[in-house]
Amino acid sequence: NELQAILTRPTLSTAEQRIDGLLLTAARNGIEFAMHTPAQAREIENEINSHPVVRKPVQMLRFN
């Protein structure tokens, strides 16, 4: 839901266009975020990528 809220950002005013739209929308929706240096971002990405991805099977809707 948070990602959807960020990606469907509204039209921005001229002043708001100077701010990164994704960050502005996240702040408006109360979504917590933090700025990191490139080195910190790589560490976070490596930590995320070190965990296996567990995929759930897709279940199809059946009508009786």
Side-chain angles (χ1 to χ4, degrees), residues 19-47:
I19 303 170
D20 184 302
L22 292 176
L23 299 179
L24 179 62
T25 303
R28 282 182 173 166
N29 286 282
I31 299 169
E32 292 185 32
F33 60 91
M35 302 297 287
H36 297 283
T37 65
Q40 292 170 323
R42 278 190 300 278
E43 284 183 33
I44 293 168
E45 183 179 18
N46 290 339
E47 174 64 23

Side-chain angles (χ1 to χ4, degrees), residues 1-10 21-22 24-26 28-31:
N1 288 338
E2 290 177 343
L3 178 59
Q4 188 64 32
I6 291 172
L7 295 177
T8 56
R9 57 184 170 209
L22 292 176
L24 179 62
T25 303
R28 282 182 173 166
N29 286 282
I31 299 169

